[in-house]
Every structure is written in structure tokens, then in C-alpha cells.
């Protein structure tokens, strides 16, 4: 049928019984072939099935597959609670696929007891260590996950020990600038932040950012994430010049990705305006220059916002979520400009859509 649909020529052939003995004589390099009607084949299949069915691994796999069937509603009604129970049972039997499914499931934002997370992380690590080797990238990824669980529990000593082990192993096997090595170093920076060692965390985040810029590029999601982390560090020590510098960078990145008029870009522009004014209050020598730039950017924000809001209203409609997001951002821009009357009128315009 597929050939006919594809309009391919149909070539008739006639199958004849093959003389197996003659075939083996003519082609001695061929492997031994067992016919489907062979008692030997049937016996081998039965033996294999019996061995698999009686094994612990098959029992765990069966629980896992049945769990998936209930969880996703494969040939039965969806019953997520029962599905998870079966997957849990398979994971307790050390079935790797079940452990990974649960781990990924809880990494999607689903809450889980820390003890369960730790147990899963440890089980996955031990499995990978045994089957892949202790310095395999997958094994080291599991080691880092265990460390992060300890960090979440507040056991910073154990977390630091494991993260250090992971970082040194990646440094040794992958090199200093490999993304996985940088990731491990960034985890150490987060650990130092959680411990309250903010000078150390700042120094490590700066190292991570410098390496990510060189290896991944400034627009890579991992690099952008580190920019946000650095921003938090500079805000903590109230380094307004650095804060302003990073907000400028974030604004340029968003303008490049979304366009100047997009509400996410304009939100960042509004934040940049606030930072200019904050820095002006702390820097009397340059206050006038900083405030002038803030005013210029505010006028630019309202101009871009009005233009984009008109376009979205025309193309998507006044009540479209994206149009309303733009309207909210535009109102904030007018508020920063000092035009509270215009800002209030825009807020009132949104009210019917949120009633």
C-alpha cells in the first residue's frame, strides 16, 4: 500500500523454499540461522521469557511500565496517584528509569520531601557510578545534584565537600572552561552566598561571568543567569555604579532579543530609569548628568510604549493579554515621567479586563 501511494513500481517475485544445507555450503561466512518453526527457537524463547519474568529487574520494569500507563493514561484512565505509587515501587527496587522519571518530575516544580529528593539523587549517583564510572559526566552531574539537595537542607559543610569534589573532577577531566566545569563553580558561588560569605560569592560569580562570556557568549541563557546573580551581589553591597552597568547590559540584551518596543524590554528600561535616579542620589558630583539621562530615557520609554501599544491594539485587540501587558508597562513609564494623570487613565483602562 505504501508503494502504491508513493506511485512506486510493484515488482512481482516468487519465494521458493531455501535449501539451508546448500546455502551454508555456498556461503560459509553466514551466521547460523534458525527457522521460525524450529523447536530449538521456540525453546530458546521460552527459556528467555521465563528467566526474565522471574528476575527482580523484570518485576521492577513491570511496575515502572504500569506506572507510566496509569500516569499518562495509556490504554486506561489516567490515575496519576496510582501511577506514581507504581513508579515509586520500581525506584525502590533500584530501577534506573523509574528513578530518573521521578527526579525529572520533581525538577518541574512539583514539591517533594527533601528526604525523597536526597534518596533519589543518591540512588541515581550510585547507579551511574557503578555502570558509567565515577568520573563520567553523568555520574558527576548526579554528584552535583546530591550536593544541591544538601545545600537546600542547610547542610553547607557536606554540600561544600561534594561540590568541591565535583568541580575538581570536572576540572581534571573536562578542563577549566568547559560549561560543566563552570556550572560546578557557579554552584559553589551559590553555596557561598547561602552561607553568608558574600565577598567569596561575588568573587566567584565574577569569575564565572568572565568565563561564560568568553566560552558561551554574552547572550547565552547561562551567561544571562549569571548576570542576574551578579546583580544581586552588587545590590547587597550597594555598588550603584555596578548595578547601573548591569542594568544597561540587561536592557541591551532584551532589546536585542525582543525588540525595543516589547513590554519586557520596556520593563527593563523602566528599571534602568529607577537605577539612574537612585545612583544620582548617591553621587552628587554626577547627579545632574544622571538625572538628565533618566529623563531622556523616560521620554524614550513612553514614545516606544505608545507606538507598540497602538500596534498591538490594532493587530491583537484591546483585551489581548499581550496588549494589556504593554498597557501596564506604558502606565509605569508615564508614572516615572511624572505624568500621574496619564498613568492613572491607563490603569483605569485596564480595569474592565481584570474585573
Amino acid at each position: 500500500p505504501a508503494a502504491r501511494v508513493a506511485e512506486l513500481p510493484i515488482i512481482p517475485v516468487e519465494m521458493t523454499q531455501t535449501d539451508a544445507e546448500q546455502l551454508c555450503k555456498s556461503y560459509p561466512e553466514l551466521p547460523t540461522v534458525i527457522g521460525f518453526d524450529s523447536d530449538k527457537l521456540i525453546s530458546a524463547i521460552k527459556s528467555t521469557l521465563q528467566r526474565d519474568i522471574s528476575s527482580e529487574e523484570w518485576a521492577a520494569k513491570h511496575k515502572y511500565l504500569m506506572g507510566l500507563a496509569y500516569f499518562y493514561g495509556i490504554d486506561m484512565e489516567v490515575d496519576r496517584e496510582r501511577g506514581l505509587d507504581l513508579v515509586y515501587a520500581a525506584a525502590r527496587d533500584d530501577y534506573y528509569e523509574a528513578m530518573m522519571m521521578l527526579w525529572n518530575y520533581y525538577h518541574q516544580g512539583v514539591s517533594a520531601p527533601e528526604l525523597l529528593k536526597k534518596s533519589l539523587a543518591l540512588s541515581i549517583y550510585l547507579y551511574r557510578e557503578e555502570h558509567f564510572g565515577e568520573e563520567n559526566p553523568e555520574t558527576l552531574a548526579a554528584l552535583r545534584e546530591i550536593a544541591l539537595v544538601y545545600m537546600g537542607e542547610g547542610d553547607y559543610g557536606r554540600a561544600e565537600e561534594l561540590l568541591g569534589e565535583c568541580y575538581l573532577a570536572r576540572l581534571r577531566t573536562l578542563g577549566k572552561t568547559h560549561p560543566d566545569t563552570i556550572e560546578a563553580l557557579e554552584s559553589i558561588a551559590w553555596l557561598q552566598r547561602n552561607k553568608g560569605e558574600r565577598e567569596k560569592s561575588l568573587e566567584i560569580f565574577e569569575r564565572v561571568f568572565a568565563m561564560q562570556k568568553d566560552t558561551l557568549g554574552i547572550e547565552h541563557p547561562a551567561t544571562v543567569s549569571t548576570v542576574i546573580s551578579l546583580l544581586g551581589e552588587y545590590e547587597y553591597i550597594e555598588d550603584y555604579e555596578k548595578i547601573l552597568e548591569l542594568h544597561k547590559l540587561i536592557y541591551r540584551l532584551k532589546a536585542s532579543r525582543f525588540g525595543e518596543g516589547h513590554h519586557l524590554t520596556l520593563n527593563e528600561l523602566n528599571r534602568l530609569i529607577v537605577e539612574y535616579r537612585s545612583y544620582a542620589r548617591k553621587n552628587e558630583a554626577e547627579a545632574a548628568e544622571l538625572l538628565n539621562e533618566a529623563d531622556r530615557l523616560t521620554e524614550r520609554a513612553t514614545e516606544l510604549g505608545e507606538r507598540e501599544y497602538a500596534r498591538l491594539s490594532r493587530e491583537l485587540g484591546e483585551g489581548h493579554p499581550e496588549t494589556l501587558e504593554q498597557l501596564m508597562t506604558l502606565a509605569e513609564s508615564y508614572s516615572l515621567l511624572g505624568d500621574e494623570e496619564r498613568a492613572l487613565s491607563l490603569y483605569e483602562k485596564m480595569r474592565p479586563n481584570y474585573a
Side-chain angles (χ1 to χ4, degrees), residues 289-309:
E289 182 181 346
L290 291 166
L291 290 174
N292 284 338
E293 180 63 10
D295 291 343
R296 185 188 72 80
L297 292 175
T298 307
E299 290 179 1
R300 178 66 173 160
T302 53
E303 177 189 342
L304 289 169
E306 287 282 12
R307 187 187 308 162
E308 186 66 7
Y309 172 61

mmCIF file of all heavy atoms in Angstrom, residues 289-309:
data_model
loop_
_atom_site.group_PDB
_atom_site.id
_atom_site.type_symbol
_atom_site.label_atom_id
_atom_site.label_comp_id
_atom_site.label_asym_id
_atom_site.label_seq_id
_atom_site.Cartn_x
_atom_site.Cartn_y
_atom_site.Cartn_z
ATOM 1 N N GLU A 289 23.864 65.072 35.560
ATOM 2 C CA GLU A 289 24.036 64.298 34.326
ATOM 3 C C GLU A 289 23.208 63.009 34.358
ATOM 4 O O GLU A 289 22.570 62.643 33.355
ATOM 5 C CB GLU A 289 25.517 63.973 34.150
ATOM 6 C CG GLU A 289 25.834 63.214 32.870
ATOM 7 C CD GLU A 289 27.316 62.888 32.747
ATOM 8 O OE1 GLU A 289 28.129 63.474 33.501
ATOM 9 O OE2 GLU A 289 27.655 62.034 31.895
ATOM 10 N N LEU A 290 23.213 62.357 35.514
ATOM 11 C CA LEU A 290 22.461 61.102 35.658
ATOM 12 C C LEU A 290 20.962 61.341 35.544
ATOM 13 O O LEU A 290 20.243 60.560 34.897
ATOM 14 C CB LEU A 290 22.791 60.447 36.998
ATOM 15 C CG LEU A 290 24.206 59.890 37.145
ATOM 16 C CD1 LEU A 290 24.520 59.575 38.597
ATOM 17 C CD2 LEU A 290 24.370 58.638 36.287
ATOM 18 N N LEU A 291 20.482 62.423 36.159
ATOM 19 C CA LEU A 291 19.044 62.720 36.106
ATOM 20 C C LEU A 291 18.614 63.127 34.697
ATOM 21 O O LEU A 291 17.505 62.783 34.261
ATOM 22 C CB LEU A 291 18.710 63.827 37.107
ATOM 23 C CG LEU A 291 18.797 63.411 38.586
ATOM 24 C CD1 LEU A 291 18.597 64.613 39.496
ATOM 25 C CD2 LEU A 291 17.760 62.328 38.906
ATOM 26 N N ASN A 292 19.463 63.837 33.992
ATOM 27 C CA ASN A 292 19.142 64.190 32.606
ATOM 28 C C ASN A 292 19.005 62.951 31.734
ATOM 29 O O ASN A 292 18.107 62.857 30.887
ATOM 30 C CB ASN A 292 20.235 65.105 32.032
ATOM 31 C CG ASN A 292 20.139 66.525 32.548
ATOM 32 O OD1 ASN A 292 19.068 66.958 32.991
ATOM 33 N ND2 ASN A 292 21.247 67.261 32.513
ATOM 34 N N GLU A 293 19.910 61.990 31.960
ATOM 35 C CA GLU A 293 19.829 60.739 31.194
ATOM 36 C C GLU A 293 18.571 59.965 31.558
ATOM 37 O O GLU A 293 17.916 59.374 30.685
ATOM 38 C CB GLU A 293 21.078 59.899 31.454
ATOM 39 C CG GLU A 293 21.123 58.567 30.713
ATOM 40 C CD GLU A 293 21.156 58.711 29.194
ATOM 41 O OE1 GLU A 293 21.341 59.853 28.693
ATOM 42 O OE2 GLU A 293 20.990 57.688 28.505
ATOM 43 N N ALA A 294 18.208 59.980 32.833
ATOM 44 C CA ALA A 294 16.982 59.301 33.272
ATOM 45 C C ALA A 294 15.767 59.914 32.592
ATOM 46 O O ALA A 294 14.861 59.202 32.131
ATOM 47 C CB ALA A 294 16.852 59.384 34.797
ATOM 48 N N ASP A 295 15.727 61.259 32.516
ATOM 49 C CA ASP A 295 14.596 61.938 31.868
ATOM 50 C C ASP A 295 14.541 61.611 30.372
ATOM 51 O O ASP A 295 13.461 61.397 29.809
ATOM 52 C CB ASP A 295 14.720 63.449 32.063
ATOM 53 C CG ASP A 295 14.496 63.870 33.504
ATOM 54 O OD1 ASP A 295 13.927 63.053 34.268
ATOM 55 O OD2 ASP A 295 14.899 64.989 33.880
ATOM 56 N N ARG A 296 15.704 61.575 29.746
ATOM 57 C CA ARG A 296 15.748 61.250 28.316
ATOM 58 C C ARG A 296 15.217 59.838 28.068
ATOM 59 O O ARG A 296 14.431 59.603 27.139
ATOM 60 C CB ARG A 296 17.186 61.358 27.801
ATOM 61 C CG ARG A 296 17.315 61.146 26.296
ATOM 62 C CD ARG A 296 18.763 61.064 25.861
ATOM 63 N NE ARG A 296 19.378 59.807 26.282
ATOM 64 C CZ ARG A 296 19.216 58.639 25.645
ATOM 65 N NH1 ARG A 296 18.437 58.563 24.575
ATOM 66 N NH2 ARG A 296 19.816 57.554 26.085
ATOM 67 N N LEU A 297 15.634 58.892 28.908
ATOM 68 C CA LEU A 297 15.188 57.505 28.751
ATOM 69 C C LEU A 297 13.697 57.364 29.036
ATOM 70 O O LEU A 297 13.012 56.540 28.404
ATOM 71 C CB LEU A 297 15.992 56.587 29.677
ATOM 72 C CG LEU A 297 17.471 56.415 29.321
ATOM 73 C CD1 LEU A 297 18.183 55.575 30.393
ATOM 74 C CD2 LEU A 297 17.628 55.744 27.957
ATOM 75 N N THR A 298 13.184 58.170 29.977
ATOM 76 C CA THR A 298 11.750 58.105 30.303
ATOM 77 C C THR A 298 10.910 58.549 29.118
ATOM 78 O O THR A 298 9.877 57.945 28.786
ATOM 79 C CB THR A 298 11.446 58.978 31.534
ATOM 80 O OG1 THR A 298 12.308 58.610 32.607
ATOM 81 C CG2 THR A 298 10.009 58.778 31.981
ATOM 82 N N GLU A 299 11.328 59.628 28.471
ATOM 83 C CA GLU A 299 10.608 60.090 27.275
ATOM 84 C C GLU A 299 10.684 59.033 26.167
ATOM 85 O O GLU A 299 9.704 58.810 25.444
ATOM 86 C CB GLU A 299 11.203 61.414 26.800
ATOM 87 C CG GLU A 299 10.914 62.572 27.740
ATOM 88 C CD GLU A 299 11.524 63.874 27.269
ATOM 89 O OE1 GLU A 299 12.158 63.871 26.186
ATOM 90 O OE2 GLU A 299 11.367 64.892 27.971
ATOM 91 N N ARG A 300 11.848 58.404 26.063
ATOM 92 C CA ARG A 300 12.022 57.350 25.059
ATOM 93 C C ARG A 300 11.100 56.167 25.375
ATOM 94 O O ARG A 300 10.497 55.582 24.471
ATOM 95 C CB ARG A 300 13.491 56.897 25.045
ATOM 96 C CG ARG A 300 13.820 55.766 24.092
ATOM 97 C CD ARG A 300 13.649 56.175 22.664
ATOM 98 N NE ARG A 300 14.124 55.141 21.748
ATOM 99 C CZ ARG A 300 13.754 55.066 20.479
ATOM 100 N NH1 ARG A 300 12.911 55.945 19.972
ATOM 101 N NH2 ARG A 300 14.238 54.123 19.694
ATOM 102 N N ALA A 301 10.977 55.822 26.643
ATOM 103 C CA ALA A 301 10.140 54.684 27.050
ATOM 104 C C ALA A 301 8.675 54.944 26.718
ATOM 105 O O ALA A 301 7.971 54.051 26.217
ATOM 106 C CB ALA A 301 10.316 54.418 28.543
ATOM 107 N N THR A 302 8.191 56.153 26.984
ATOM 108 C CA THR A 302 6.780 56.443 26.687
ATOM 109 C C THR A 302 6.532 56.483 25.182
ATOM 110 O O THR A 302 5.495 56.026 24.706
ATOM 111 C CB THR A 302 6.367 57.789 27.321
ATOM 112 O OG1 THR A 302 7.277 58.819 26.909
ATOM 113 C CG2 THR A 302 6.379 57.699 28.840
ATOM 114 N N GLU A 303 7.504 57.020 24.445
ATOM 115 C CA GLU A 303 7.362 57.070 22.981
ATOM 116 C C GLU A 303 7.280 55.670 22.389
ATOM 117 O O GLU A 303 6.382 55.357 21.588
ATOM 118 C CB GLU A 303 8.561 57.822 22.380
ATOM 119 C CG GLU A 303 8.571 57.874 20.868
ATOM 120 C CD GLU A 303 9.877 58.422 20.312
ATOM 121 O OE1 GLU A 303 10.623 59.073 21.070
ATOM 122 O OE2 GLU A 303 10.159 58.187 19.116
ATOM 123 N N LEU A 304 8.211 54.780 22.795
ATOM 124 C CA LEU A 304 8.210 53.403 22.296
ATOM 125 C C LEU A 304 6.977 52.652 22.769
ATOM 126 O O LEU A 304 6.376 51.875 22.018
ATOM 127 C CB LEU A 304 9.471 52.683 22.779
ATOM 128 C CG LEU A 304 10.801 53.097 22.149
ATOM 129 C CD1 LEU A 304 11.971 52.501 22.919
ATOM 130 C CD2 LEU A 304 10.856 52.660 20.684
ATOM 131 N N GLY A 305 6.606 52.881 24.017
ATOM 132 C CA GLY A 305 5.448 52.191 24.578
ATOM 133 C C GLY A 305 4.155 52.553 23.868
ATOM 134 O O GLY A 305 3.324 51.681 23.594
ATOM 135 N N GLU A 306 3.958 53.848 23.582
ATOM 136 C CA GLU A 306 2.743 54.292 22.882
ATOM 137 C C GLU A 306 2.676 53.676 21.491
ATOM 138 O O GLU A 306 1.621 53.207 21.057
ATOM 139 C CB GLU A 306 2.737 55.821 22.770
ATOM 140 C CG GLU A 306 2.461 56.544 24.066
ATOM 141 C CD GLU A 306 0.991 56.551 24.446
ATOM 142 O OE1 GLU A 306 0.184 55.816 23.834
ATOM 143 O OE2 GLU A 306 0.633 57.289 25.381
ATOM 144 N N ARG A 307 3.807 53.658 20.815
ATOM 145 C CA ARG A 307 3.845 53.130 19.455
ATOM 146 C C ARG A 307 3.507 51.632 19.442
ATOM 147 O O ARG A 307 2.702 51.172 18.629
ATOM 148 C CB ARG A 307 5.235 53.358 18.862
ATOM 149 C CG ARG A 307 5.344 52.998 17.379
ATOM 150 C CD ARG A 307 6.787 53.089 16.924
ATOM 151 N NE ARG A 307 7.382 54.385 17.275
ATOM 152 C CZ ARG A 307 8.684 54.601 17.309
ATOM 153 N NH1 ARG A 307 9.546 53.633 17.034
ATOM 154 N NH2 ARG A 307 9.157 55.808 17.618
ATOM 155 N N GLU A 308 4.106 50.886 20.384
ATOM 156 C CA GLU A 308 3.877 49.439 20.416
ATOM 157 C C GLU A 308 2.462 49.119 20.895
ATOM 158 O O GLU A 308 1.822 48.192 20.405
ATOM 159 C CB GLU A 308 4.912 48.770 21.326
ATOM 160 C CG GLU A 308 4.877 47.253 21.333
ATOM 161 C CD GLU A 308 5.272 46.620 20.013
ATOM 162 O OE1 GLU A 308 5.713 47.359 19.091
ATOM 163 O OE2 GLU A 308 5.147 45.383 19.896
ATOM 164 N N TYR A 309 1.955 49.922 21.842
ATOM 165 C CA TYR A 309 0.592 49.703 22.325
ATOM 166 C C TYR A 309 -0.419 49.922 21.200
ATOM 167 O O TYR A 309 -1.373 49.145 21.036
ATOM 168 C CB TYR A 309 0.298 50.645 23.494
ATOM 169 C CG TYR A 309 -1.140 50.624 23.931
ATOM 170 C CD1 TYR A 309 -1.728 49.452 24.404
ATOM 171 C CD2 TYR A 309 -1.930 51.769 23.837
ATOM 172 C CE1 TYR A 309 -3.067 49.424 24.789
ATOM 173 C CE2 TYR A 309 -3.255 51.753 24.216
ATOM 174 C CZ TYR A 309 -3.821 50.580 24.681
ATOM 175 O OH TYR A 309 -5.138 50.552 25.055
#
